[in-house]
Coordinates of all heavy atoms in Angstrom, one line a residue:
M1 N 132.2 44.5 88.5 CA 131.9 43.1 88.7 C 130.9 42.8 89.8 O 130.1 42.0 89.7 CB 133.3 42.4 88.9 CG 133.2 40.9 89.1 SD 132.6 40.2 87.5 CE 132.5 38.6 87.9
M2 N 131.0 43.6 90.8 CA 130.2 43.4 92.0 C 128.7 43.7 91.6 O 127.8 43.0 92.1 CB 130.6 44.4 93.1 CG 129.8 44.2 94.4 SD 130.2 42.6 95.1 CE 129.5 42.8 96.7
K3 N 128.5 44.7 90.8 CA 127.1 45.0 90.4 C 126.5 43.9 89.5 O 125.3 43.7 89.6 CB 127.0 46.4 89.7 CG 127.7 46.5 88.4 CD 127.5 47.9 87.8 CE 128.3 47.9 86.5 NZ 128.2 49.2 85.9
V4 N 127.3 43.3 88.7 CA 126.8 42.2 87.9 C 126.4 41.0 88.8 O 125.4 40.4 88.5 CB 127.9 41.8 86.8 CG1 127.4 40.5 86.1 CG2 128.1 42.9 85.9
S5 N 127.2 40.7 89.7 CA 126.9 39.5 90.6 C 125.7 39.8 91.5 O 124.9 39.0 91.7 CB 128.1 39.2 91.5 OG 128.4 40.2 92.4
F6 N 125.6 41.1 91.9 CA 124.4 41.4 92.7 C 123.1 41.4 91.8 O 122.1 40.8 92.2 CB 124.5 42.9 93.3 CG 123.3 43.3 94.0 CD1 123.0 42.8 95.3 CD2 122.4 44.2 93.5 CE1 121.9 43.2 96.0 CE2 121.2 44.6 94.2 CZ 121.0 44.1 95.5
F7 N 123.2 41.9 90.6 CA 122.1 41.8 89.7 C 121.7 40.4 89.4 O 120.5 40.0 89.4 CB 122.4 42.6 88.4 CG 121.4 42.6 87.4 CD1 120.2 43.3 87.6 CD2 121.5 41.8 86.2 CE1 119.2 43.3 86.6 CE2 120.5 41.8 85.3 CZ 119.3 42.6 85.5
A8 N 122.7 39.5 89.2 CA 122.4 38.1 88.9 C 121.8 37.4 90.0 O 120.8 36.7 89.9 CB 123.7 37.4 88.4
T9 N 122.4 37.6 91.2 CA 121.9 36.8 92.4 C 120.6 37.4 93.0 O 119.8 36.7 93.6 CB 122.9 36.7 93.5 OG1 123.3 38.1 93.9 CG2 124.2 36.0 93.0
A10 N 120.4 38.7 92.8 CA 119.2 39.3 93.4 C 118.0 39.4 92.5 O 116.9 39.7 92.9 CB 119.6 40.7 94.0
Y11 N 118.2 39.3 91.2 CA 117.2 39.5 90.2 C 117.0 38.4 89.1 O 116.0 37.8 89.0 CB 117.3 40.9 89.6 CG 116.1 41.3 88.7 CD1 114.9 41.6 89.3 CD2 116.3 41.5 87.4 CE1 113.8 42.0 88.6 CE2 115.2 41.9 86.6 CZ 114.0 42.1 87.2 OH 112.9 42.5 86.4
V12 N 118.1 38.2 88.4 CA 118.1 37.3 87.3 C 117.8 35.9 87.7 O 116.9 35.2 87.2 CB 119.3 37.4 86.4 CG1 119.3 36.4 85.3 CG2 119.5 38.8 85.8
I13 N 118.6 35.4 88.6 CA 118.5 34.0 89.1 C 117.1 33.7 89.7 O 116.4 32.7 89.3 CB 119.6 33.5 90.0 CG1 120.9 33.5 89.2 CG2 119.4 32.2 90.6 CD1 122.2 33.3 90.0
P14 N 116.6 34.6 90.7 CA 115.3 34.3 91.2 C 114.2 34.4 90.1 O 113.3 33.6 90.1 CB 115.1 35.4 92.2 CG 116.5 35.8 92.6 CD 117.3 35.6 91.4
L15 N 114.3 35.4 89.2 CA 113.3 35.5 88.2 C 113.3 34.3 87.3 O 112.3 33.8 86.9 CB 113.5 36.8 87.4 CG 112.5 37.1 86.3 CD1 111.1 37.3 87.0 CD2 112.8 38.4 85.6
A16 N 114.5 33.8 86.9 CA 114.6 32.6 86.1 C 114.0 31.4 86.8 O 113.3 30.6 86.2 CB 116.0 32.3 85.7
L17 N 114.3 31.2 88.1 CA 113.8 30.1 88.9 C 112.2 30.2 88.9 O 111.5 29.2 88.8 CB 114.3 30.1 90.3 CG 115.7 29.5 90.4 CD1 116.2 29.7 91.8 CD2 115.7 28.0 90.1
I18 N 111.7 31.4 89.2 CA 110.3 31.5 89.3 C 109.6 31.2 88.0 O 108.6 30.4 87.9 CB 109.9 33.0 89.7 CG1 110.3 33.2 91.2 CG2 108.4 33.3 89.5 CD1 110.2 34.6 91.6
C19 N 110.2 31.7 86.9 CA 109.6 31.4 85.5 C 109.7 30.0 85.2 O 108.7 29.4 84.8 CB 110.4 32.2 84.5 SG 110.0 34.0 84.5
G20 N 110.8 29.3 85.5 CA 111.0 27.9 85.2 C 110.1 27.0 86.0 O 109.4 26.1 85.4
L21 N 110.0 27.3 87.3 CA 109.2 26.4 88.1 C 107.7 26.6 87.8 O 106.9 25.6 87.8 CB 109.5 26.7 89.6 CG 110.9 26.2 90.0 CD1 111.2 26.7 91.4 CD2 111.1 24.7 89.9
Y22 N 107.3 27.8 87.6 CA 105.9 28.1 87.3 C 105.6 27.5 85.9 O 104.5 27.0 85.7 CB 105.5 29.6 87.3 CG 105.1 30.1 88.6 CD1 105.6 31.3 89.1 CD2 104.3 29.4 89.5 CE1 105.2 31.8 90.3 CE2 103.9 29.8 90.7 CZ 104.4 31.1 91.1 OH 104.0 31.5 92.4
L23 N 106.5 27.5 85.0 CA 106.3 26.9 83.7 C 106.1 25.4 83.8 O 105.2 24.8 83.2 CB 107.5 27.2 82.7 CG 107.4 26.6 81.3 CD1 106.2 27.3 80.6 CD2 108.7 26.9 80.6
V24 N 106.9 24.8 84.6 CA 106.7 23.3 84.9 C 105.3 23.1 85.4 O 104.6 22.1 85.0 CB 107.8 22.8 85.8 CG1 107.5 21.4 86.3 CG2 109.2 22.8 85.1
M25 N 104.9 23.9 86.4 CA 103.6 23.7 87.0 C 102.5 23.9 85.9 O 101.6 23.1 85.9 CB 103.4 24.8 88.1 CG 102.1 24.6 88.8 SD 101.7 26.0 89.9 CE 101.3 27.3 88.8
L26 N 102.6 24.9 85.1 CA 101.6 25.1 84.1 C 101.6 24.0 83.0 O 100.5 23.6 82.5 CB 101.8 26.5 83.4 CG 101.5 27.7 84.3 CD1 101.8 29.0 83.5 CD2 100.0 27.7 84.7
V27 N 102.7 23.5 82.7 CA 102.8 22.4 81.7 C 102.1 21.1 82.3 O 101.3 20.5 81.6 CB 104.2 22.0 81.3 CG1 104.4 20.7 80.6 CG2 104.8 23.1 80.5
R28 N 102.3 20.9 83.6 CA 101.6 19.7 84.2 C 100.1 20.0 84.3 O 99.3 19.1 84.2 CB 102.2 19.5 85.6 CG 103.7 18.9 85.5 CD 104.2 18.5 86.8 NE 103.4 17.3 87.2 CZ 103.6 16.7 88.4 NH1 104.5 17.1 89.2 NH2 102.9 15.7 88.7
L29 N 99.8 21.2 84.6 CA 98.4 21.6 84.7 C 97.6 21.4 83.4 O 96.6 20.8 83.3 CB 98.2 23.0 85.2 CG 96.8 23.6 85.2 CD1 96.0 22.9 86.3 CD2 96.8 25.1 85.4
W30 N 98.2 21.9 82.3 CA 97.6 21.8 81.0 C 97.8 20.5 80.3 O 97.0 20.1 79.5 CB 98.0 23.0 80.1 CG 97.4 24.3 80.5 CD1 97.9 25.2 81.3 CD2 96.1 24.7 80.1 NE1 97.1 26.3 81.4 CE2 95.9 26.0 80.7 CE3 95.1 24.2 79.3 CZ2 94.8 26.8 80.5 CZ3 94.0 25.0 79.1 CH2 93.8 26.2 79.7
G31 N 98.8 19.8 80.7 CA 99.1 18.5 80.0 C 98.4 17.3 80.6 O 98.3 16.3 80.0
G32 N 98.0 17.5 81.8 CA 97.3 16.4 82.5 C 95.9 16.1 81.9 O 95.2 17.0 81.7
A33 N 95.6 14.9 81.7 CA 94.3 14.5 81.1 C 93.3 14.4 82.3 O 93.6 13.9 83.4 CB 94.4 13.2 80.4
A34 N 92.1 14.9 82.0 CA 91.0 14.8 82.9 C 90.5 13.4 83.0 O 90.6 12.7 82.0 CB 89.9 15.8 82.5
P35 N 90.0 13.0 84.1 CA 89.4 11.6 84.2 C 88.2 11.5 83.2 O 87.4 12.4 83.1 CB 88.9 11.6 85.7 CG 89.6 12.6 86.4 CD 90.0 13.7 85.4
G36 N 88.3 10.5 82.5 CA 87.2 10.3 81.5 C 87.6 10.8 80.1 O 86.9 10.6 79.1
G37 N 88.8 11.5 80.0 CA 89.3 12.0 78.8 C 88.7 13.3 78.3 O 89.1 13.9 77.3
R38 N 87.7 13.8 78.9 CA 87.0 15.1 78.5 C 87.3 16.2 79.5 O 87.4 15.9 80.7 CB 85.5 14.9 78.3 CG 85.2 14.0 77.2 CD 83.7 14.0 76.9 NE 83.4 15.5 76.8 CZ 82.5 15.9 75.9 NH1 82.0 15.1 75.0 NH2 82.2 17.2 75.8
C39 N 87.5 17.4 79.0 CA 87.8 18.5 79.8 C 86.6 19.4 79.8 O 86.2 19.9 78.7 CB 89.0 19.2 79.3 SG 89.7 20.4 80.5
S40 N 86.0 19.7 80.9 CA 84.8 20.5 80.9 C 85.1 22.0 80.7 O 86.3 22.4 80.9 CB 84.0 20.4 82.2 OG 84.8 20.9 83.3
A41 N 84.1 22.8 80.4 CA 84.3 24.2 80.2 C 84.8 24.9 81.5 O 85.6 25.8 81.5 CB 83.1 24.9 79.7
E42 N 84.2 24.4 82.6 CA 84.6 24.9 83.9 C 86.0 24.6 84.2 O 86.8 25.5 84.8 CB 83.7 24.3 85.0 CG 83.9 24.9 86.4 CD 83.0 24.3 87.4 OE1 81.9 23.9 87.0 OE2 83.4 24.4 88.6
S43 N 86.5 23.4 83.9 CA 87.9 23.1 84.1 C 88.8 23.9 83.3 O 89.9 24.4 83.8 CB 88.1 21.6 83.8 OG 89.4 21.2 83.9
R44 N 88.5 24.2 82.0 CA 89.3 25.0 81.2 C 89.3 26.4 81.7 O 90.4 27.1 81.7 CB 88.8 25.0 79.7 CG 89.2 23.7 79.0 CD 88.9 23.9 77.5 NE 87.5 24.2 77.2 CZ 86.5 23.4 77.0 NH1 86.7 22.1 77.2 NH2 85.3 23.8 76.8
R45 N 88.2 26.9 82.2 CA 88.1 28.3 82.7 C 89.0 28.4 84.0 O 89.7 29.4 84.2 CB 86.7 28.6 83.1 CG 86.5 30.0 83.5 CD 85.0 30.5 83.6 NE 84.1 29.5 84.2 CZ 83.2 28.8 83.6 NH1 83.0 29.0 82.3 NH2 82.4 28.0 84.2
G46 N 89.0 27.4 84.8 CA 89.9 27.3 86.0 C 91.3 27.3 85.6 O 92.1 28.0 86.2
K47 N 91.7 26.6 84.6 CA 93.1 26.5 84.1 C 93.5 27.9 83.6 O 94.6 28.3 83.8 CB 93.3 25.4 83.1 CG 93.2 24.0 83.6 CD 93.3 23.0 82.5 CE 93.2 21.6 83.0 NZ 93.4 20.6 82.0
R48 N 92.6 28.5 82.9 CA 93.0 29.9 82.3 C 93.2 30.9 83.5 O 94.0 31.7 83.4 CB 91.9 30.4 81.4 CG 92.0 29.8 80.0 CD 91.1 30.5 79.0 NE 89.8 30.6 79.4 CZ 88.8 29.8 79.0 NH1 89.0 28.8 78.2 NH2 87.5 30.0 79.4
R49 N 92.3 30.8 84.5 CA 92.4 31.7 85.7 C 93.8 31.4 86.4 O 94.4 32.4 86.8 CB 91.3 31.5 86.6 CG 90.0 32.0 86.1 CD 88.8 31.8 87.0 NE 89.1 32.6 88.2 CZ 88.5 32.5 89.4 NH1 87.6 31.5 89.5 NH2 88.7 33.2 90.4
V50 N 94.2 30.2 86.5 CA 95.4 29.9 87.2 C 96.6 30.4 86.4 O 97.5 31.0 86.9 CB 95.6 28.4 87.4 CG1 97.0 28.0 87.8 CG2 94.6 27.9 88.5
T51 N 96.5 30.2 85.0 CA 97.6 30.7 84.1 C 97.7 32.2 84.2 O 98.8 32.7 84.3 CB 97.3 30.2 82.7 OG1 97.2 28.8 82.7 CG2 98.4 30.7 81.8
R52 N 96.6 32.9 84.2 CA 96.6 34.4 84.3 C 97.2 34.8 85.6 O 98.0 35.7 85.7 CB 95.2 34.9 84.1 CG 95.1 36.4 84.0 CD 93.7 36.9 83.8 NE 92.8 36.1 83.0 CZ 91.7 35.6 83.4 NH1 91.2 36.0 84.6 NH2 90.9 34.8 82.7
M53 N 96.8 34.1 86.7 CA 97.3 34.5 88.0 C 98.9 34.3 88.1 O 99.6 35.1 88.6 CB 96.7 33.6 89.1 CG 97.2 33.9 90.5 SD 96.8 32.7 91.7 CE 97.7 31.3 91.1
V54 N 99.3 33.2 87.5 CA 100.8 32.9 87.5 C 101.5 34.0 86.7 O 102.5 34.6 87.1 CB 101.1 31.5 86.9 CG1 102.6 31.4 86.5 CG2 100.7 30.5 87.9
L55 N 101.0 34.4 85.6 CA 101.6 35.5 84.8 C 101.6 36.8 85.5 O 102.6 37.5 85.5 CB 100.8 35.6 83.4 CG 101.0 34.5 82.5 CD1 100.1 34.7 81.2 CD2 102.4 34.3 82.1
V56 N 100.5 37.1 86.2 CA 100.5 38.3 87.0 C 101.5 38.3 88.1 O 102.2 39.3 88.4 CB 99.0 38.6 87.6 CG1 99.0 39.6 88.6 CG2 98.1 38.9 86.4
V57 N 101.6 37.2 88.8 CA 102.6 37.1 89.9 C 104.0 37.3 89.4 O 104.8 38.0 90.0 CB 102.5 35.7 90.6 CG1 103.6 35.4 91.6 CG2 101.2 35.7 91.4
V58 N 104.4 36.6 88.3 CA 105.7 36.8 87.7 C 105.9 38.2 87.3 O 107.0 38.8 87.5 CB 105.9 35.8 86.6 CG1 107.2 36.0 85.9 CG2 105.9 34.3 87.1
A59 N 105.0 38.8 86.6 CA 105.1 40.2 86.1 C 105.3 41.2 87.3 O 106.1 42.1 87.3 CB 103.9 40.6 85.3
I60 N 104.5 41.0 88.4 CA 104.6 41.8 89.5 C 106.0 41.7 90.2 O 106.6 42.7 90.6 CB 103.5 41.6 90.5 CG1 102.2 42.1 90.0 CG2 103.8 42.2 91.9 CD1 101.0 41.7 90.8
F61 N 106.5 40.5 90.3 CA 107.8 40.3 90.8 C 108.9 41.1 90.0 O 109.7 41.8 90.5 CB 108.2 38.8 90.9 CG 109.6 38.6 91.3 CD1 109.9 38.5 92.6 CD2 110.6 38.4 90.4 CE1 111.2 38.3 93.1 CE2 111.9 38.2 90.8 CZ 112.2 38.1 92.1
A62 N 108.8 40.9 88.7 CA 109.7 41.5 87.8 C 109.6 43.0 87.9 O 110.6 43.8 87.9 CB 109.5 41.0 86.3
I63 N 108.4 43.6 87.9 CA 108.2 45.0 87.9 C 108.6 45.6 89.2 O 109.3 46.7 89.3 CB 106.7 45.3 87.6 CG1 106.4 45.0 86.1 CG2 106.4 46.8 87.9 CD1 104.9 45.0 85.8
C64 N 108.3 44.9 90.3 CA 108.6 45.5 91.7 C 110.1 45.5 92.0 O 110.6 46.4 92.6 CB 107.9 44.7 92.7 SG 106.1 45.1 92.8
W65 N 110.9 44.5 91.5 CA 112.3 44.4 91.8 C 113.1 45.1 90.8 O 114.3 45.4 91.0 CB 112.7 42.9 91.9 CG 112.4 42.3 93.2 CD1 111.3 41.6 93.5 CD2 113.2 42.5 94.4 NE1 111.3 41.3 94.9 CE2 112.5 41.8 95.4 CE3 114.3 43.1 94.7 CZ2 112.9 41.8 96.7 CZ3 114.8 43.1 96.0 CH2 114.1 42.4 97.0
C66 N 112.6 45.5 89.6 CA 113.4 46.1 88.6 C 113.9 47.5 89.0 O 115.1 47.8 88.8 CB 112.6 46.2 87.3 SG 113.6 46.8 85.9
P67 N 113.1 48.4 89.7 CA 113.6 49.7 90.0 C 114.8 49.6 91.0 O 115.7 50.4 90.8 CB 112.4 50.4 90.7 CG 111.2 49.7 90.1 CD 111.7 48.3 89.9
I68 N 114.8 48.7 92.0 CA 115.9 48.7 92.9 C 117.1 48.2 92.2 O 118.3 48.6 92.5 CB 115.6 47.8 94.1 CG1 116.6 48.0 95.2 CG2 115.5 46.3 93.8 CD1 116.6 49.3 95.9
Q69 N 117.0 47.4 91.2 CA 118.1 46.9 90.4 C 118.7 48.1 89.6 O 119.9 48.2 89.5 CB 117.7 45.8 89.5 CG 117.3 44.5 90.2 CD 118.3 44.0 91.2 OE1 119.5 44.0 91.0 NE2 117.8 43.6 92.4
K70 N 117.8 48.9 89.0 CA 118.3 50.1 88.3 C 119.0 51.1 89.2 O 120.0 51.6 88.8 CB 117.1 50.7 87.6 CG 116.6 49.9 86.4 CD 115.5 50.7 85.7 CE 115.0 49.9 84.5 NZ 113.9 50.5 83.8
I71 N 118.4 51.3 90.4 CA 119.0 52.2 91.3 C 120.4 51.7 91.7 O 121.4 52.5 91.8 CB 118.1 52.4 92.5 CG1 116.9 53.2 92.1 CG2 118.9 53.1 93.7 CD1 115.8 53.2 93.2
E72 N 120.5 50.4 92.0 CA 121.8 49.8 92.4 C 122.8 50.0 91.3 O 124.0 50.2 91.6 CB 121.5 48.3 92.8 CG 122.8 47.6 93.3 CD 123.2 48.2 94.6 OE1 122.4 48.6 95.4 OE2 124.4 48.1 94.9
A73 N 122.4 49.8 90.1 CA 123.3 49.9 88.9 C 123.8 51.3 88.8 O 125.0 51.5 88.5 CB 122.6 49.4 87.7
V74 N 122.9 52.3 89.0 CA 123.3 53.7 88.8 C 124.3 54.1 89.9 O 125.3 54.7 89.7 CB 122.1 54.6 88.9 CG1 122.4 56.0 89.1 CG2 121.2 54.4 87.6
F75 N 124.0 53.7 91.2 CA 124.9 54.0 92.3 C 126.2 53.3 92.1 O 127.3 53.9 92.4 CB 124.3 53.6 93.6 CG 123.3 54.6 94.1 CD1 122.1 54.2 94.7 CD2 123.6 55.9 94.1 CE1 121.2 55.1 95.1 CE2 122.7 56.9 94.6 CZ 121.5 56.4 95.1
A76 N 126.2 52.1 91.6 CA 127.5 51.3 91.5 C 128.3 51.9 90.3 O 129.5 51.9 90.4 CB 127.2 49.9 91.2
T77 N 127.6 52.5 89.3 CA 128.3 53.1 88.2 C 129.0 54.4 88.6 O 130.1 54.7 88.2 CB 127.4 53.3 87.0 OG1 126.8 52.1 86.7 CG2 128.1 53.9 85.8
Y78 N 128.3 55.2 89.3 CA 128.8 56.6 89.6 C 129.5 56.7 91.0 O 130.0 57.8 91.3 CB 127.6 57.6 89.6 CG 127.0 57.7 88.3 CD1 125.8 57.3 88.0 CD2 127.8 58.3 87.2 CE1 125.2 57.4 86.7 CE2 127.3 58.5 86.0 CZ 126.0 58.0 85.7 OH 125.5 58.1 84.4
L79 N 129.6 55.6 91.7 CA 130.4 55.7 93.0 C 131.7 55.0 92.9 O 132.0 54.3 92.2 CB 129.6 55.1 94.1 CG 128.3 55.9 94.5 CD1 127.6 55.1 95.7 CD2 128.6 57.3 95.0

């Protein structure tokens, strides 16, 4: 039970919060209308760059924290 709560509080909940809050940010970024109603190519390119950066940040968080979670699960299982 302890390993499940550690996994949830140290990995799942933070990852879910990060994904949810960044999703809200991206929806507002892409959903907002540009002044004048037109979106320039430069603006779309900037939005794509921000979206790619957000995906990279979330992926790096998930990848970097996953090994420690696996190690913790293995130690908790065999100890």
Side-chain angles (χ1 to χ4, degrees):
M1 182 64 181
M2 183 68 164
K3 65 181 177 178
V4 172
S5 66
F6 178 77
F7 180 71
T9 58
Y11 188 68
V12 174
I13 293 171
L15 186 59
L17 279 172
I18 289 170
C19 289
L21 293 173
Y22 274 138
L23 182 64
V24 169
M25 182 189 73
L26 290 175
V27 166
R28 290 189 67 181
L29 174 70
W30 283 95
R38 294 192 49 141
C39 191
S40 69
E42 183 177 336
S43 175
R44 283 191 306 273
R45 186 170 44 250
K47 289 179 181 181
R48 281 195 306 267
R49 288 180 66 197
V50 169
T51 303
R52 190 177 327 124
M53 179 194 64
V54 166
L55 293 175
V56 166
V57 167
V58 171
I60 288 174
F61 175 85
I63 291 167
C64 288
W65 279 96
C66 190
I68 191 69
Q69 299 303 320
K70 287 182 181 180
I71 291 169
E72 184 67 30
V74 168
F75 281 133
T77 301
Y78 293 112
L79 292 179

